Coordinates of all heavy atoms in Angstrom, one line a residue:
M6 N 23.9 -19.1 1.1 CA 24.6 -17.8 1.0 C 24.9 -17.6 -0.5 O 24.7 -16.6 -1.1 CB 25.9 -17.9 1.7 CG 26.5 -16.4 1.9 SD 25.4 -15.4 3.1 CE 26.3 -14.0 2.9
Q7 N 25.5 -18.7 -1.2 CA 25.7 -18.5 -2.5 C 24.4 -18.2 -3.4 O 24.4 -17.5 -4.3 CB 26.2 -19.9 -3.0 CG 27.0 -19.9 -4.4 CD 28.3 -19.1 -4.4 OE1 28.9 -19.0 -3.3 NE2 28.7 -18.5 -5.5
M8 N 23.4 -18.8 -3.0 CA 22.1 -18.6 -3.6 C 21.6 -17.2 -3.5 O 21.1 -16.5 -4.5 CB 21.0 -19.4 -2.9 CG 20.9 -20.8 -3.4 SD 19.7 -20.8 -4.9 CE 18.2 -20.2 -4.2
L9 N 21.8 -16.6 -2.4 CA 21.5 -15.2 -2.1 C 22.3 -14.2 -3.0 O 21.8 -13.3 -3.6 CB 21.8 -14.9 -0.6 CG 20.8 -15.3 0.4 CD1 21.2 -14.8 1.7 CD2 19.3 -14.9 0.0
I10 N 23.6 -14.5 -3.2 CA 24.6 -13.7 -4.0 C 24.0 -13.9 -5.4 O 23.9 -12.8 -6.1 CB 26.0 -14.2 -3.8 CG1 26.4 -13.9 -2.4 CG2 27.0 -13.5 -4.8 CD1 27.8 -14.5 -2.0
K11 N 23.8 -15.0 -5.9 CA 23.3 -15.3 -7.3 C 21.9 -14.5 -7.5 O 21.9 -13.8 -8.6 CB 23.0 -16.6 -7.5 CG 24.3 -17.4 -8.1 CD 23.9 -18.8 -8.7 CE 25.0 -19.5 -9.4 NZ 24.7 -20.8 -9.8
T12 N 21.2 -14.7 -6.6 CA 19.8 -13.9 -6.8 C 20.0 -12.4 -6.8 O 19.4 -11.7 -7.7 CB 18.8 -14.3 -5.6 OG1 18.8 -15.7 -5.5 CG2 17.5 -13.7 -5.8
F13 N 20.9 -12.0 -6.0 CA 21.0 -10.5 -5.9 C 21.6 -10.0 -7.2 O 21.1 -9.0 -7.7 CB 22.0 -10.2 -4.6 CG 22.2 -8.7 -4.6 CD1 21.4 -8.1 -3.8 CD2 23.4 -8.1 -5.2 CE1 21.7 -6.6 -3.6 CE2 23.6 -6.7 -4.9 CZ 22.7 -6.1 -4.1
H14 N 22.6 -10.7 -7.7 CA 23.3 -10.1 -8.9 C 22.3 -10.4 -10.2 O 22.5 -9.6 -11.2 CB 24.6 -10.9 -9.2 CG 25.7 -10.3 -8.3 ND1 26.1 -9.0 -8.5 CD2 26.3 -10.8 -7.2 CE1 27.0 -8.7 -7.6 NE2 27.2 -9.8 -6.7
K15 N 21.5 -11.4 -10.1 CA 20.6 -11.6 -11.2 C 19.8 -10.2 -11.6 O 19.5 -9.9 -12.7 CB 19.6 -12.7 -10.9 CG 18.7 -13.2 -11.9 CD 17.9 -14.4 -11.5 CE 16.5 -14.6 -11.9 NZ 15.9 -15.6 -11.2
Y16 N 19.4 -9.6 -10.4 CA 18.6 -8.4 -10.5 C 19.4 -7.1 -10.5 O 19.0 -6.1 -11.2 CB 17.5 -8.4 -9.4 CG 16.4 -9.6 -9.6 CD1 16.6 -10.8 -9.1 CD2 15.4 -9.3 -10.5 CE1 15.7 -11.8 -9.3 CE2 14.4 -10.3 -10.6 CZ 14.6 -11.5 -10.1 OH 13.7 -12.5 -10.3
S17 N 20.5 -7.1 -9.7 CA 21.2 -5.9 -9.5 C 21.9 -5.4 -10.8 O 22.1 -4.2 -10.9 CB 22.2 -6.1 -8.4 OG 23.2 -6.9 -8.8
G18 N 22.2 -6.3 -11.8 CA 22.9 -6.0 -13.0 C 22.0 -5.5 -14.0 O 22.4 -5.0 -15.1
K19 N 20.7 -5.3 -13.8 CA 19.8 -4.9 -14.8 C 19.8 -3.4 -15.3 O 19.6 -3.1 -16.5 CB 18.3 -5.2 -14.5 CG 18.0 -6.7 -14.4 CD 16.6 -7.1 -14.4 CE 16.5 -8.6 -14.5 NZ 15.1 -9.0 -14.6
E20 N 20.0 -2.5 -14.2 CA 20.1 -1.1 -14.6 C 21.0 -0.4 -13.6 O 21.2 -0.9 -12.4 CB 18.7 -0.5 -14.6 CG 18.1 -0.5 -13.3 CD 16.8 0.2 -13.3 OE1 16.0 0.1 -14.3 OE2 16.3 0.7 -12.2
G21 N 21.6 0.8 -14.1 CA 22.3 1.6 -13.1 C 23.6 0.7 -12.6 O 24.3 0.0 -13.2
D22 N 23.9 1.0 -11.3 CA 24.9 0.3 -10.6 C 24.8 -1.2 -10.6 O 23.8 -1.7 -10.1 CB 25.1 0.9 -9.2 CG 26.6 0.5 -8.6 OD1 26.8 -0.7 -8.6 OD2 27.0 1.3 -7.8
K23 N 25.9 -2.0 -11.0 CA 25.7 -3.4 -11.1 C 25.7 -4.0 -9.8 O 25.2 -5.2 -9.6 CB 26.9 -4.0 -11.7 CG 26.9 -4.0 -13.3 CD 28.1 -4.8 -13.8 CE 28.0 -4.8 -15.4 NZ 29.3 -5.4 -15.9
Y24 N 26.1 -3.4 -8.8 CA 26.3 -3.9 -7.4 C 25.1 -3.4 -6.4 O 25.3 -3.7 -5.2 CB 27.7 -3.7 -6.8 CG 28.6 -4.3 -7.8 CD1 29.5 -3.4 -8.7 CD2 29.0 -5.7 -7.8 CE1 30.3 -4.0 -9.6 CE2 29.8 -6.3 -8.7 CZ 30.5 -5.3 -9.6 OH 31.4 -5.9 -10.5
T25 N 24.2 -2.7 -7.0 CA 23.2 -2.2 -6.0 C 21.9 -2.4 -6.7 O 21.8 -2.5 -7.9 CB 23.2 -0.8 -5.5 OG1 23.2 0.1 -6.6 CG2 24.5 -0.5 -4.8
L26 N 20.8 -2.7 -5.8 CA 19.4 -2.8 -6.5 C 18.8 -1.4 -6.4 O 18.7 -0.8 -5.4 CB 18.7 -3.7 -5.6 CG 19.0 -5.2 -5.6 CD1 18.3 -6.0 -4.6 CD2 18.7 -5.9 -7.0
S27 N 18.3 -0.9 -7.5 CA 17.5 0.4 -7.5 C 16.2 -0.1 -7.1 O 15.8 -1.3 -6.9 CB 17.4 0.8 -9.0 OG 16.7 -0.1 -9.7
R28 N 15.2 0.8 -6.9 CA 13.9 0.6 -6.4 C 13.3 -0.4 -7.5 O 12.5 -1.3 -6.9 CB 13.2 2.1 -6.5 CG 12.1 2.0 -5.6 CD 11.7 3.5 -5.3 NE 12.3 4.1 -4.3 CZ 12.0 4.4 -3.1 NH1 10.8 4.0 -2.7 NH2 12.7 5.0 -2.2
G29 N 13.4 -0.2 -8.6 CA 12.8 -1.0 -9.7 C 13.4 -2.4 -9.6 O 12.6 -3.4 -9.8
E30 N 14.6 -2.6 -9.5 CA 15.3 -3.9 -9.4 C 14.9 -4.5 -8.2 O 14.5 -5.8 -8.3 CB 16.7 -3.7 -9.5 CG 17.3 -3.4 -10.8 CD 18.6 -2.9 -10.8 OE1 19.4 -2.6 -9.7 OE2 19.4 -2.9 -11.8
L31 N 14.8 -3.8 -7.1 CA 14.4 -4.5 -5.8 C 12.9 -4.9 -6.0 O 12.5 -6.3 -5.6 CB 14.3 -3.5 -4.7 CG 13.8 -4.1 -3.3 CD1 14.8 -5.1 -2.8 CD2 13.5 -2.9 -2.4
K32 N 12.1 -4.3 -6.7 CA 10.6 -4.7 -6.8 C 10.6 -5.9 -7.7 O 9.9 -6.9 -7.4 CB 9.9 -3.6 -7.5 CG 8.4 -3.8 -7.6 CD 7.7 -2.4 -8.2 CE 6.3 -2.8 -8.5 NZ 5.7 -1.7 -9.1
E33 N 11.4 -5.9 -8.7 CA 11.5 -7.2 -9.5 C 12.0 -8.4 -8.7 O 11.4 -9.5 -8.9 CB 12.4 -7.0 -10.8 CG 11.7 -6.1 -11.9 CD 12.7 -6.2 -13.1 OE1 13.1 -7.3 -13.4 OE2 12.9 -5.2 -13.7
L34 N 12.9 -8.1 -7.9 CA 13.5 -9.3 -7.1 C 12.5 -9.8 -6.2 O 12.1 -11.0 -6.1 CB 14.7 -8.8 -6.4 CG 15.5 -9.8 -5.7 CD1 17.0 -9.4 -5.5 CD2 14.9 -10.1 -4.2
L35 N 11.8 -8.9 -5.5 CA 10.7 -9.2 -4.5 C 9.7 -10.0 -5.2 O 9.2 -11.0 -4.6 CB 10.2 -8.0 -3.8 CG 11.1 -7.3 -2.8 CD1 10.5 -6.1 -2.3 CD2 11.5 -8.2 -1.7
L36 N 9.1 -9.5 -6.4 CA 8.0 -10.1 -7.0 C 8.4 -11.3 -7.7 O 7.6 -12.3 -7.7 CB 7.4 -9.2 -8.0 CG 6.8 -7.8 -7.3 CD1 6.2 -7.0 -8.5 CD2 5.7 -8.1 -6.3
G37 N 9.6 -11.4 -8.2 CA 10.1 -12.6 -8.9 C 10.5 -13.7 -8.0 O 10.1 -14.8 -8.4
E38 N 11.1 -13.4 -7.0 CA 11.6 -14.5 -6.0 C 10.8 -14.7 -4.8 O 10.7 -15.8 -4.3 CB 13.0 -14.1 -5.6 CG 14.1 -13.7 -6.7 CD 14.3 -15.0 -7.4 OE1 14.3 -16.1 -7.0 OE2 14.5 -14.8 -8.6
L39 N 10.0 -13.7 -4.4 CA 9.3 -13.8 -3.1 C 7.8 -13.5 -3.3 O 7.0 -13.2 -2.4 CB 9.8 -12.8 -2.1 CG 11.3 -13.0 -1.7 CD1 11.9 -11.9 -1.0 CD2 11.5 -14.4 -1.0
G40 N 7.4 -13.5 -4.6 CA 5.9 -13.2 -4.9 C 5.0 -14.0 -4.1 O 4.0 -13.5 -3.6
S41 N 5.2 -15.2 -3.9 CA 4.3 -16.1 -3.2 C 4.2 -15.7 -1.7 O 3.3 -15.7 -1.1 CB 4.6 -17.5 -3.3 OG 5.9 -17.8 -3.0
Y42 N 5.4 -15.3 -1.2 CA 5.5 -15.0 0.1 C 4.8 -13.7 0.4 O 4.1 -13.5 1.4 CB 7.1 -14.7 0.6 CG 7.1 -14.3 2.1 CD1 6.9 -15.2 3.2 CD2 7.5 -13.1 2.2 CE1 7.1 -14.6 4.4 CE2 7.6 -12.5 3.5 CZ 7.3 -13.4 4.7 OH 7.5 -12.9 5.9
L43 N 4.9 -12.7 -0.6 CA 4.3 -11.4 -0.4 C 2.9 -11.4 -0.7 O 2.3 -10.4 -0.4 CB 5.1 -10.4 -1.2 CG 6.5 -10.1 -0.7 CD1 7.2 -9.2 -1.8 CD2 6.6 -9.4 0.5
G44 N 2.4 -12.4 -1.3 CA 0.9 -12.5 -1.6 C 0.6 -12.1 -3.0 O 1.2 -12.6 -3.9
S45 N -0.3 -11.1 -3.2 CA -0.8 -10.8 -4.4 C 0.2 -10.5 -5.5 O -0.1 -10.7 -6.7 CB -1.7 -9.7 -4.3 OG -1.2 -8.5 -4.1
G46 N 1.3 -9.9 -5.1 CA 2.2 -9.4 -6.1 C 2.0 -8.1 -6.7 O 2.5 -7.5 -7.6
K47 N 0.8 -7.5 -6.1 CA 0.4 -6.2 -6.7 C 0.5 -5.1 -5.5 O 0.0 -4.1 -5.7 CB -1.0 -6.2 -7.2 CG -1.1 -7.1 -8.4 CD -2.7 -7.3 -8.7 CE -2.8 -8.2 -9.8 NZ -4.2 -8.8 -9.9
D48 N 1.2 -5.5 -4.5 CA 1.2 -4.7 -3.4 C 2.4 -3.7 -3.3 O 3.3 -3.8 -3.0 CB 1.4 -5.5 -2.1 CG 1.3 -4.8 -0.9 OD1 1.0 -3.6 -1.0 OD2 1.4 -5.3 0.2
N49 N 2.1 -2.6 -4.2 CA 3.1 -1.7 -4.4 C 3.6 -1.0 -3.1 O 4.7 -0.7 -2.9 CB 2.6 -0.6 -5.3 CG 3.0 -0.8 -6.9 OD1 4.1 -1.3 -7.1 ND2 2.1 -0.6 -7.8
E50 N 2.6 -0.7 -2.2 CA 2.9 -0.1 -0.9 C 3.9 -0.9 -0.2 O 4.8 -0.5 0.6 CB 1.7 0.2 -0.1 CG 1.0 1.4 -0.6 CD -0.2 1.8 0.3 OE1 -0.2 1.3 1.4 OE2 -1.2 2.4 -0.2
G51 N 3.7 -2.3 -0.2 CA 4.5 -3.2 0.5 C 6.0 -3.1 0.0 O 6.8 -3.1 0.9
V52 N 6.0 -3.0 -1.3 CA 7.4 -2.9 -1.8 C 8.1 -1.6 -1.5 O 9.2 -1.5 -1.1 CB 7.4 -3.1 -3.4 CG1 8.8 -2.9 -4.0 CG2 6.8 -4.5 -3.8
E53 N 7.3 -0.6 -1.5 CA 8.0 0.7 -1.1 C 8.4 0.8 0.3 O 9.4 1.3 0.6 CB 6.8 1.8 -1.3 CG 6.5 2.2 -2.8 CD 7.7 3.0 -3.4 OE1 8.1 4.0 -2.8 OE2 8.1 2.6 -4.4
K54 N 7.5 0.1 1.1 CA 7.9 0.0 2.5 C 9.1 -0.7 2.9 O 10.0 -0.2 3.6 CB 6.6 -0.6 3.3 CG 6.9 -0.4 4.8 CD 5.7 -1.1 5.6 CE 5.8 -0.9 7.1 NZ 7.2 -1.5 7.5
V55 N 9.2 -1.8 2.2 CA 10.5 -2.7 2.3 C 11.7 -2.0 1.9 O 12.5 -1.9 2.4 CB 10.3 -4.0 1.4 CG1 11.6 -4.7 1.3 CG2 9.3 -4.9 2.0
M56 N 11.5 -1.2 0.6 CA 12.6 -0.3 0.2 C 13.0 0.6 1.1 O 14.3 0.8 1.4 CB 12.1 0.1 -1.2 CG 13.2 1.1 -1.8 SD 14.4 0.0 -2.6 CE 15.7 1.2 -3.1
N57 N 12.0 1.3 1.7 CA 12.4 2.4 2.7 C 13.0 1.7 3.9 O 14.0 2.3 4.4 CB 11.2 3.2 3.1 CG 10.6 4.1 1.9 OD1 11.3 4.4 1.0 ND2 9.3 4.4 2.0
D58 N 12.5 0.6 4.4 CA 13.0 0.0 5.6 C 14.6 -0.4 5.3 O 15.4 -0.3 6.2 CB 12.2 -1.3 5.9 CG 10.9 -0.9 6.6 OD1 10.8 0.4 6.9 OD2 10.1 -1.7 6.8
L59 N 14.8 -0.9 4.1 CA 15.9 -1.6 3.6 C 17.1 -0.6 3.5 O 18.3 -0.9 3.8 CB 15.8 -2.4 2.5 CG 15.4 -3.8 2.5 CD1 15.4 -4.4 1.2 CD2 16.2 -4.6 3.5
D60 N 16.7 0.5 2.9 CA 17.8 1.4 2.5 C 18.2 2.3 3.7 O 17.9 3.4 3.8 CB 17.2 2.4 1.4 CG 18.2 3.3 0.8 OD1 19.4 3.0 0.9 OD2 17.8 4.2 0.1
A61 N 19.1 1.6 4.3 CA 19.5 2.1 5.7 C 20.2 3.5 5.5 O 20.2 4.3 6.5 CB 20.4 1.1 6.4
N62 N 21.0 3.6 4.5 CA 21.8 4.9 4.3 C 21.1 5.8 3.3 O 21.7 6.9 2.9 CB 23.2 4.5 3.9 CG 23.3 3.8 2.5 OD1 22.3 3.5 2.0 ND2 24.5 3.5 2.0
N63 N 19.8 5.5 3.0 CA 19.0 6.5 2.3 C 19.7 7.0 0.9 O 19.4 8.2 0.5 CB 18.7 7.7 3.1 CG 17.6 7.3 4.2 OD1 16.6 6.8 3.8 ND2 17.8 7.8 5.4
D64 N 20.3 6.0 0.2 CA 21.0 6.5 -1.1 C 20.0 6.1 -2.2 O 20.4 6.3 -3.4 CB 22.3 6.1 -1.2 CG 22.4 4.6 -1.2 OD1 21.4 3.9 -1.1 OD2 23.6 4.1 -1.4
G65 N 18.8 5.6 -1.9 CA 17.9 5.1 -2.9 C 18.3 3.8 -3.6 O 17.6 3.4 -4.7
E66 N 19.3 3.1 -3.2 CA 19.7 1.9 -3.7 C 19.8 0.9 -2.6 O 20.2 1.3 -1.4 CB 21.1 2.0 -4.4 CG 21.0 3.1 -5.5 CD 20.8 2.3 -7.0 OE1 21.2 1.1 -7.2 OE2 20.1 3.0 -7.8
V67 N 19.6 -0.4 -2.8 CA 19.8 -1.5 -1.8 C 21.2 -2.1 -2.2 O 21.1 -2.7 -3.2 CB 18.5 -2.4 -1.7 CG1 18.9 -3.5 -0.9 CG2 17.4 -1.6 -1.4
D68 N 22.1 -2.0 -1.3 CA 23.4 -2.8 -1.6 C 23.2 -4.2 -0.9 O 22.3 -4.6 -0.3 CB 24.6 -2.1 -1.2 CG 24.6 -1.8 0.4 OD1 24.1 -2.6 1.1 OD2 25.1 -0.7 0.8
F69 N 24.4 -5.0 -1.2 CA 24.2 -6.4 -0.7 C 24.0 -6.5 0.8 O 23.3 -7.4 1.3 CB 25.4 -7.2 -1.2 CG 25.3 -8.6 -1.0 CD1 24.3 -9.4 -1.7 CD2 26.0 -9.4 -0.1 CE1 24.2 -10.7 -1.5 CE2 25.9 -10.7 0.1 CZ 24.9 -11.4 -0.7
T70 N 24.7 -5.7 1.5 CA 24.6 -5.7 2.9 C 23.1 -5.4 3.4 O 22.5 -6.2 4.2 CB 25.5 -4.5 3.6 OG1 26.8 -4.6 3.1 CG2 25.5 -4.9 5.1
E71 N 22.5 -4.5 2.9 CA 21.1 -4.1 3.1 C 20.3 -5.2 2.7 O 19.3 -5.5 3.4 CB 20.7 -2.7 2.4 CG 21.4 -1.6 3.0 CD 21.4 -0.3 2.1 OE1 21.1 -0.4 0.9 OE2 21.7 0.7 2.7
F72 N 20.5 -5.9 1.6 CA 19.9 -7.1 1.1 C 19.9 -8.2 2.2 O 18.9 -8.8 2.3 CB 20.4 -7.5 -0.3 CG 19.7 -8.6 -0.8 CD1 18.3 -8.6 -1.3 CD2 20.5 -9.8 -0.9 CE1 17.8 -9.8 -2.0 CE2 19.8 -11.0 -1.6 CZ 18.5 -10.9 -1.9
I73 N 20.9 -8.4 2.6 CA 21.1 -9.5 3.6 C 20.3 -9.3 4.8 O 19.6 -10.3 5.5 CB 22.6 -9.8 4.0 CG1 23.4 -10.3 2.9 CG2 22.7 -10.5 5.2 CD1 23.0 -11.6 2.5
I74 N 20.1 -8.0 5.2 CA 19.3 -7.7 6.3 C 17.8 -8.1 6.1 O 17.2 -8.7 6.9 CB 19.5 -6.2 6.6 CG1 20.9 -5.9 7.2 CG2 18.4 -5.8 7.8 CD1 21.2 -4.5 7.3
L75 N 17.5 -7.8 4.8 CA 16.0 -8.2 4.4 C 15.8 -9.7 4.6 O 14.8 -10.1 5.1 CB 15.8 -7.7 3.0 CG 14.5 -8.5 2.4 CD1 13.2 -7.9 2.9 CD2 14.5 -8.1 0.9
M76 N 16.8 -10.5 4.0 CA 16.7 -11.9 4.0 C 16.6 -12.4 5.5 O 15.9 -13.3 5.7 CB 17.9 -12.5 3.2 CG 17.8 -12.3 1.7 SD 16.4 -12.9 1.0 CE 15.6 -11.5 0.3
G77 N 17.5 -11.9 6.4 CA 17.4 -12.2 7.8 C 16.0 -11.9 8.4 O 15.4 -12.8 9.1
A78 N 15.5 -10.7 8.1 CA 14.2 -10.4 8.6 C 13.1 -11.2 8.0 O 12.1 -11.6 8.9 CB 13.9 -8.9 8.2
L79 N 13.1 -11.6 6.8 CA 12.1 -12.5 6.2 C 12.3 -14.0 6.9 O 11.2 -14.6 7.1 CB 12.3 -12.6 4.7 CG 11.9 -11.4 3.9 CD1 12.1 -11.7 2.4 CD2 10.4 -11.0 4.2
T80 N 13.4 -14.3 7.0 CA 13.7 -15.7 7.7 C 13.0 -15.6 9.1 O 12.3 -16.6 9.5 CB 15.1 -16.0 7.8 OG1 15.6 -15.9 6.5 CG2 15.4 -17.4 8.4
V81 N 13.1 -14.6 9.9 CA 12.6 -14.5 11.2 C 11.1 -14.4 11.1 O 10.4 -15.1 11.9 CB 13.1 -13.2 12.0 CG1 12.4 -13.0 13.2 CG2 14.6 -13.3 12.2
A82 N 10.6 -13.7 10.0 CA 9.2 -13.5 9.9 C 8.7 -15.0 9.6 O 7.6 -15.4 10.2 CB 8.8 -12.5 8.7
C83 N 9.2 -15.8 8.8 CA 8.8 -17.1 8.3 C 8.9 -18.0 9.7 O 7.8 -18.7 9.9 CB 9.7 -17.6 7.4 SG 9.4 -17.1 5.7
N84 N 9.9 -17.8 10.5 CA 10.0 -18.7 11.6 C 8.7 -18.4 12.6 O 8.1 -19.3 13.0 CB 11.2 -18.3 12.3 CG 12.4 -19.3 11.8 OD1 12.1 -20.4 11.1 ND2 13.6 -18.9 12.0
D85 N 8.5 -17.2 12.8 CA 7.4 -16.7 13.6 C 6.1 -17.2 13.0 O 5.2 -17.7 13.8 CB 7.3 -15.2 13.6 CG 8.4 -14.5 14.5 OD1 9.2 -15.3 15.2 OD2 8.6 -13.4 14.5
F86 N 6.0 -17.2 11.8 CA 4.7 -17.6 11.1 C 4.5 -19.1 11.4 O 3.5 -19.4 11.8 CB 4.8 -17.3 9.6 CG 3.7 -17.9 8.8 CD1 2.5 -17.4 8.9 CD2 3.8 -19.1 8.1 CE1 1.3 -17.7 8.1 CE2 2.6 -19.6 7.3 CZ 1.5 -19.0 7.4
F87 N 5.6 -19.9 11.2 CA 5.3 -21.3 11.3 C 5.2 -21.6 12.8 O 4.6 -22.6 13.1 CB 6.6 -22.0 10.7 CG 6.5 -22.1 9.1 CD1 7.5 -21.5 8.5 CD2 5.3 -22.7 8.7 CE1 7.4 -21.6 7.1 CE2 5.3 -22.7 7.3 CZ 6.3 -22.0 6.4
L88 N 5.8 -21.0 13.7 CA 5.7 -21.1 15.1 C 4.3 -20.8 15.6 O 3.8 -21.7 16.3 CB 6.7 -20.4 16.0 CG 8.1 -20.8 15.8 CD1 9.0 -19.9 16.7 CD2 8.4 -22.2 16.3
D89 N 3.7 -19.8 14.9 CA 2.3 -19.6 15.3 C 1.4 -20.7 14.8 O 0.5 -20.8 15.5 CB 2.0 -18.2 14.6 CG 2.4 -17.0 15.3 OD1 2.9 -17.2 16.4 OD2 2.4 -15.9 14.8
V90 N 1.6 -21.1 13.7 CA 0.7 -22.2 13.1 C 0.8 -23.5 13.8 O -0.2 -24.2 14.1 CB 1.1 -22.4 11.6 CG1 0.4 -23.6 11.0 CG2 0.7 -21.2 10.7
K91 N 2.1 -23.8 14.1 CA 2.3 -25.2 14.7 C 3.1 -25.0 16.1 O 4.3 -25.4 16.1 CB 3.1 -26.1 13.7 CG 2.2 -26.5 12.6 CD 2.9 -27.6 11.9 CE 2.2 -28.1 10.6 NZ 3.0 -29.1 9.9
P92 N 2.5 -24.4 17.0 CA 3.2 -24.2 18.3 C 3.8 -25.5 19.0 O 4.8 -25.6 19.7 CB 2.3 -23.6 19.3 CG 1.0 -23.7 18.6 CD 1.1 -24.0 17.1
E93 N 3.1 -26.6 18.7 CA 3.4 -27.9 19.2 C 4.8 -28.5 18.6 O 5.4 -29.3 19.2 CB 2.3 -28.9 19.0 CG 2.1 -29.4 17.7 CD 1.1 -28.6 16.9 OE1 0.9 -27.4 17.2 OE2 0.6 -29.1 16.0
D94 N 5.2 -27.8 17.4 CA 6.5 -28.3 16.9 C 7.6 -27.5 17.4 O 8.8 -27.6 16.9 CB 6.5 -28.1 15.4 CG 5.6 -29.1 14.8 OD1 5.2 -30.0 15.4 OD2 5.2 -29.0 13.6
K95 N 7.4 -26.6 18.3 CA 8.7 -25.8 18.9 C 9.6 -26.9 19.5 O 9.2 -27.8 20.2 CB 8.1 -24.9 20.0 CG 7.8 -23.5 19.5 CD 7.6 -22.5 20.6 CE 6.9 -21.3 20.1 NZ 6.4 -20.5 21.2
P96 N 10.9 -26.7 19.4 CA 11.8 -27.6 20.0 C 11.6 -27.5 21.6 O 11.5 -26.5 22.1 CB 13.2 -26.9 19.7 CG 12.9 -25.9 18.7 CD 11.6 -25.5 18.7
K97 N 11.6 -28.7 22.2 CA 11.5 -28.8 23.6 C 12.7 -28.3 24.3 O 13.7 -28.7 23.8 CB 11.0 -30.3 24.1 CG 9.8 -30.6 23.4 CD 8.5 -30.3 24.3 CE 7.2 -31.0 23.8 NZ 6.9 -30.5 22.4
E98 N 12.6 -27.7 25.4 CA 13.7 -27.2 26.0 C 14.0 -28.2 27.4 O 13.1 -28.8 27.8 CB 13.8 -25.9 26.6 CG 14.0 -24.9 25.4 CD 13.7 -23.5 25.8 OE1 13.8 -23.2 26.9 OE2 13.2 -22.7 24.9
Ligands
CA1 CA1 21.4 -2.0 -10.4
CA2 CA1 21.3 2.0 0.4

């Protein structure tokens, strides 16, 4: 959690409102912190889509609450990915 807050503020303070990520800041964060996850790092459409999905209240900025939702979604996506790759490692019930 502390890590997420640090990461968020590292990018959110660059321009405009210190406590929200503009479209440009979000893009820098995604490419800087999650570039390997997202792949090429040149996927502008991907970033736009993430931004549109994230900006729940459509004010053109991603606040910390909206950012946390992204991190949750990515964690789920990663879990699904690893479960797909190694289904035998699923916890036994
Ligand atoms: Ca900002
Ligand atoms: Ca917003």
Side-chain angles (χ1 to χ4, degrees):
M6 198 66 182
Q7 198 66 27
M8 271 280 295
L9 286 181
I10 295 169
K11 269 193 167 172
T12 304
F13 183 86
H14 282 293
K15 184 171 144 193
Y16 292 91
S17 69
K19 290 193 175 187
E20 62 177 34
D22 192 320
K23 272 186 183 173
Y24 302 102
T25 62
L26 294 168
S27 67
R28 211 167 269 262
E30 287 168 342
L31 175 71
K32 189 174 168 184
E33 280 188 44
L34 186 154
L35 290 176
L36 298 182
E38 305 295 327
L39 302 166
S41 55
Y42 175 77
L43 292 175
S45 69
K47 293 172 190 163
D48 188 1
N49 267 320
E50 276 185 30
V52 174
E53 286 289 305
K54 190 183 178 308
V55 169
M56 183 75 189
N57 290 337
D58 285 352
L59 273 188
D60 189 15
N62 59 2
N63 283 315
D64 62 358
E66 302 268 325
V67 173
D68 60 32
F69 190 67
T70 310
E71 290 166 343
F72 175 70
I73 288 295
I74 294 169
L75 165 70
M76 290 300 116
L79 287 180
T80 305
V81 171
C83 283
N84 276 337
D85 287 350
F86 174 75
F87 287 118
L88 290 177
D89 281 349
V90 172
K91 291 184 174 180
E93 71 271 21
D94 286 349
K95 271 187 192 172
K97 301 267 188 298
E98 285 172 31

